Amino acid sequence: MIVGAGPGGAMLALLLVRRGVPVTLLEMHKDFDREFRGDTVHPSTLEILDQLGLAERVHEIPHSKVYGPSFMTSKGLFQPFDLRRLKSKFPYILMIPQSKLLELLTTEAARYPEFQLKMGANVYDIIRENGSVRGVRYQTSETQAEIRASLTVGADGRHSRVRHLVGFEAVKTSPPMDVLWFKLPKIGADIDAGSGLMGNFRAGRILVILDRLDHWQVAFVFPKGQYQQVKAAGIESMRQAVVELEPRFAEHVQTLREWHQLTLLSVESSRCLQWHQPGLLLIGDAAHVMTPVGGVGINYAVQDAVVAANLLTKPLLEGQLQDQHLAEVQRQREFPTRFIQRFQAVMQGRVLAPALASTHTTIQVPALARFLLRMPILRDLPPRLIGFGVKRVRVDG
Ligand SMILES: Cc1cc2nc3c(=O)[nH]c(=O)nc-3n(C[C@H](O)[C@H](O)[C@H](O)COP(=O)(O)OP(=O)(O)OC[C@H]3O[C@@H](n4cnc5c(N)ncnc54)[C@H](O)[C@@H]3O)c2cc1C
């Protein structure tokens, strides 16, 4: 049984039911339609969907493609890397509403009789017997109920109730920024976002602009701890700040009228020391929260799901699941997680923190960084890390 139908839980459910393992997937919300939960589908996830025969269907969803970032520096436009250099059928990040990805995964899972999806089912307690987790109790709008299972997977996100209920602590680090997400309309011929993602810097603020086909998705990045100050300054001040960062948005920002049009992402980075105990496994954000650098949170949740399915299908089918199988999932996924979190911390410390502390009107890229990123072997590292993580993960069987 899986708690949480985010990318991790929905992918794990699909992978297990297609191999004949019965799965109940519990989701506290009544639908998948939530704003700004992360809409990036990386090359790694696209290759996994391709293995499952779903690549064509995911590309039928109206989408845009991001090939890499570009930003204006004191020495002109700088493109640190380009995903088009990846050796992959899908050398880009596909931008689709996350709700559509979740609908695709759960619709596909529903083709198998082993799959049961319970929406509006909010897990509030776990069932323990003889030192093992044996299921959960959940609440719907009508009733309270319980489900028993040989394995409970907590895929319930960054504020994981399951993690809290089993008493696992996440070790947190504090990244230097927070983010306000919002949408702006496309107007007429409009600006050219180059390879799909543009970063503008000015006096301690960063604006990240993503091309979303029929609108712009915009991230206003500011130093951690300043949210109350930014909010107190009000919506007019926010409009001005956006236009200072991107003067071509002068008309677009007029659509920002109410503070609730902005969604705060309190940027966090954390990792549980222990992801499992008898009868229980944590995956995705429940086990580790990533910062937005590289947009890898969904990718990593999906990769956790693939590794978990590869390792657990056989023991689940044979009724032989033991804690050592769950420990192996953590062992295989912990290093990639630590590595990418380290990479994010370095980027935050070396690039974002100085930019957020700077009073300059453009970002300065050190000559050494420009030189190193011209060397083919180094130039290809960031796209590989962002596209695939530390190593490519494939679905067995
Ligand atoms: C504002 C914002 C923007 C983001 N942008 C990006 C991005 O651009 N790219 C990227 O890769 N990542 C992004 N992320 C992170 C990304 O959304 C997560 O890393 C990813 O969704 C993790 O997937 P998951 O399946 O582990 O958890 P989640 O996607 O968080 O899914 C957990 C699910 O569990 C459900 N749930 C929670 N508690 C319970 C309960 N008690 N009972 C039943 N169900 C429960 C939730 O409703 C949710 O559907 C963003 C996150 C936020 C908050």
Side-chain angles (χ1 to χ4, degrees), residues 4 7-8 27-29 34 36-38 40 121-123 285 295 297-298:
E27 168 54 47
M28 69 189 235
H29 287 98
R34 266 146 279 156
F36 298 127
R37 295 177 60 194
T40 51
N122 189 350
V123 169
D285 274 20
I298 295 170

Side-chain angles (χ1 to χ4, degrees), residues 11-53:
M11 177 59 85
L12 180 59
L14 170 58
L15 293 172
L16 291 176
V17 293
R18 67 191 278 280
R19 304 282 304 278
V21 180
V23 174
T24 302
L25 178 58
L26 300 172
E27 168 54 47
M28 69 189 235
H29 287 98
K30 291 197 168 140
D31 60 44
F32 295 126
D33 217 1
R34 266 146 279 156
E35 286 280 3
F36 298 127
R37 295 177 60 194
D39 295 343
T40 51
V41 186
H42 281 51
S44 149
T45 302
L46 290 169
E47 287 191 357
I48 289 162
L49 290 169
D50 195 32
Q51 270 195 287
L52 300 175

Side-chain angles (χ1 to χ4, degrees), residues 136-260:
V136 296
R137 300 190 175 87
Y138 65 94
Q139 168 100 47
T140 67
S141 48
E142 292 95 40
T143 184
Q144 289 187 339
E146 63 177 48
I147 299 186
R148 286 169 180 267
S150 53
L151 175 65
T152 298
V153 178
D156 51 343
R158 52 166 46 202
H159 305 295
S160 173
R161 188 72 181 263
V162 173
R163 182 180 68 216
H164 175 74
L165 288 166
V166 295
F168 288 166
E169 286 286 332
V171 179
K172 291 187 185 179
T173 55
S174 189
M177 74 285 193
D178 280 329
V179 179
L180 278 164
W181 283 107
F182 50 91
K183 286 179 180 178
L184 291 178
K186 287 210 169 165
I187 298 178
D190 224 319
I191 64 176
D192 175 7
S195 47
L197 188 154
M198 239 173 23
N200 294 9
F201 298 75
R202 191 185 171 90
R205 299 284 189 258
I206 303 170
L207 202 69
V208 179
I209 302 165
L210 284 152
D211 188 348
R212 295 303 303 271
L213 204 66
D214 58 351
H215 66 274
W216 300 108
Q217 183 179 333
V218 185
F220 180 78
V221 185
F222 56 96
K224 208 170 205 31
Q226 289 190 6
Y227 176 64
Q228 289 310 331
Q229 197 181 321
V230 171
K231 189 175 179 193
I235 197 78
E236 173 53 29
S237 160
M238 173 58 78
R239 284 197 293 260
Q240 277 173 19
V242 173
V243 176
E244 273 169 23
L245 281 152
E246 179 44 87
R248 292 172 295 176
F249 274 165
E251 196 182 343
H252 307 63
V253 292
Q254 299 313 317
T255 56
L256 282 184
R257 294 197 188 96
E258 310 280 345
W259 195 259
H260 69 74

